[in-house]
Amino acid sequence: MIFERPDYYNQFSCIAGDCPMTCCAGWEVDVDAASRDFFLELKGPIGDEVRSVMVDSEDGGDYAVFPLTDEGNCPFLASNKLCRLYSALGEEGFCETCSEYPRYFGVTGSHQQIDLTLSCPEVVRIFFATTSPVTFVTTEDIMDGEELSADETLRLSEVYRFRDAVMEDLTNAFSGSEFFPEILLSHSKDLSTFDTATLPDLLASTEVLDERWQEVLDAIQTTGSHQKAFPVNDTDIAPFFLRLAQYFLFRYSIDIFYGSSRDDILLLILRSLTTILWIYESGWCALPSQSCRLTLDEKELSAPLSSKEEKVIRLMDATLIFSRQIEHSLENVEILKKARS
Ligand code: SF4
């Protein structure tokens, strides 16, 4: 198997009770088949409680679901933001979704893509701790993955060729002070320009996963920040747009193998970067109790915050809410990918 991961991957460790958000709210937890079977046999009051909330998946799949409470939380989220299943059962209490988050592992043939999602505030902290372009680490072991047909092997190598060419161009074109999304368009078959006219409607049509989303959309409209276009030429934040472009490119290029077009992926990246820029420009700030600022070491921050620190924290919050709202719904990702402007 060949494994690929970004250079920041190994720095992650969950900050649990110190986290300004939680990963146990906003989205239902899918309970994989092995965990479902474990919970079905589990003795004692905690077993009874799990069985009283767990339901079969609606699509008839081989898994179950923990539906959210009326407050939009996982039913096992305790008031101290810790997991009651973990507290009662340790690692065994975690189903696959909970033990993996915010990591994800995508396997195609003998190739595994390993990454962290920016919907976790601690991942956002790590991601925004440096302005250098992301580098990707490749390792290999002797195990074989699922065998692909000759046609699939060819298609997969074309996907990686495309991804690596765009990645290289992005990093070469970045001036250090400006990020130019045109470099993405230069890899498109049919897109000669990037039109943002329909983007506000697309964003408004997404399934709401984060309760703050309407507030964010209102801020964009009220401040007119959706008039803002690239390039970003503020040296305090421009390098992060390159890193974000690399993140989206690495994460979603593999979708081409599963049916998306190259232009779908380029559009998704352009729309994601633009939305994050709009949220940032709108001045929207997460509540102090939910801000990524809480993940930063107070001792390393100026008091009061410098203008650069304020900008970076605002961009971190914009990125976090974008990822929480869009990236945990296949439907929302498809909305940003598919509809042509
Ligand atoms: S969002 Fe990230 S840091 Fe917060 S509890 Fe979940 S995994 Fe831990």
Side-chain angles (χ1 to χ4, degrees), residues 12 14-16 19 21-23 101-102 120-122:
F12 174 77
C14 174
I15 53 174
C19 179
M21 297 292 295
T22 170
C23 41
Y101 181 86
C120 160
E122 176 61 3

Side-chain angles (χ1 to χ4, degrees), residues 116-307:
L116 295 162
T117 168
L118 287 169
S119 59
C120 160
E122 176 61 3
V123 175
V124 173
R125 182 192 69 75
I126 293 163
F127 188 86
F128 281 84
T130 175
T131 52
S132 309
V134 181
T135 55
F136 294 88
V137 180
T138 303
T139 53
E140 212 168 324
D141 72 10
I142 54 165
M143 303 298 285
D144 283 330
E146 188 196 342
E147 203 174 326
L148 298 181
S149 67
D151 174 57
E152 287 171 329
T153 304
L154 179 65
R155 283 198 298 112
L156 187 61
S157 64
E158 282 171 354
V159 170
Y160 289 131
R161 241 198 325 273
F162 165 76
R163 183 198 67 182
D164 294 346
V166 181
M167 195 74 83
E168 192 180 340
D169 278 3
L170 277 174
T171 39
N172 288 343
F174 179 61
S175 70
S177 59
E178 283 188 318
F179 172 71
F180 297 97
E182 286 73 19
I183 203 74
L184 293 164
L185 290 177
S186 72
H187 286 269
S188 164
K189 218 161 138 252
D190 296 322
L191 297 167
S192 52
T193 55
F194 171 52
D195 180 2
T196 58
T198 59
L199 184 54
D201 286 342
L202 294 179
L203 295 173
S205 70
T206 56
E207 172 200 4
V208 176
L209 297 188
D210 191 299
E211 58 190 13
R212 302 168 296 173
W213 188 235
Q214 190 54 51
E215 192 186 297
V216 170
L217 294 179
D218 291 346
I220 290 174
Q221 284 299 328
T222 318
T223 57
S225 69
H226 56 295
Q227 315 291 351
K228 179 77 186 179
F230 284 95
V232 170
N233 49 16
D234 178 340
T235 49
D236 289 341
I237 58 164
F240 297 118
F241 281 91
L242 171 62
R243 288 176 64 79
L244 287 167
Q246 292 181 287
Y247 165 88
F248 291 119
L249 180 65
F250 181 71
R251 177 159 187 176
Y252 293 106
S253 292
I254 193 62
D255 291 5
I256 299 168
F257 182 81
Y258 295 103
S260 295
S261 71
R262 294 179 178 195
D263 282 1
D264 287 339
I265 302 309
L266 296 171
L267 260 183
L268 174 66
I269 301 169
L270 286 164
R271 287 177 170 150
S272 301
L273 295 176
T274 303
T275 307
I276 292 171
L277 176 66
W278 287 355
I279 301 172
Y280 168 82
E281 287 289 337
S282 77
W284 180 83
C285 294
L287 286 173
S289 59
Q290 297 179 338
S291 172
C292 291
R293 176 181 177 167
L294 294 176
T295 63
L296 301 174
D297 185 348
E298 279 298 320
K299 292 196 283 296
E300 289 178 12
L301 295 172
S302 321
L305 293 179
S306 68
S307 136

Side-chain angles (χ1 to χ4, degrees), residues 81-128:
K81 291 205 260 176
L82 298 181
C83 170
R84 291 194 294 113
L85 284 176
Y86 186 85
S87 302
L89 304 165
E91 288 284 341
E92 261 194 321
F94 271 168
C95 53
E96 210 172 271
T97 307
C98 301
S99 57
E100 287 185 356
Y101 181 86
R103 306 166 188 87
Y104 69 84
F105 307 90
V107 183
T108 310
S110 287
H111 206 110
Q112 186 171 60
Q113 184 176 317
I114 306 170
D115 207 349
L116 295 162
T117 168
L118 287 169
S119 59
C120 160
E122 176 61 3
V123 175
V124 173
R125 182 192 69 75
I126 293 163
F127 188 86
F128 281 84

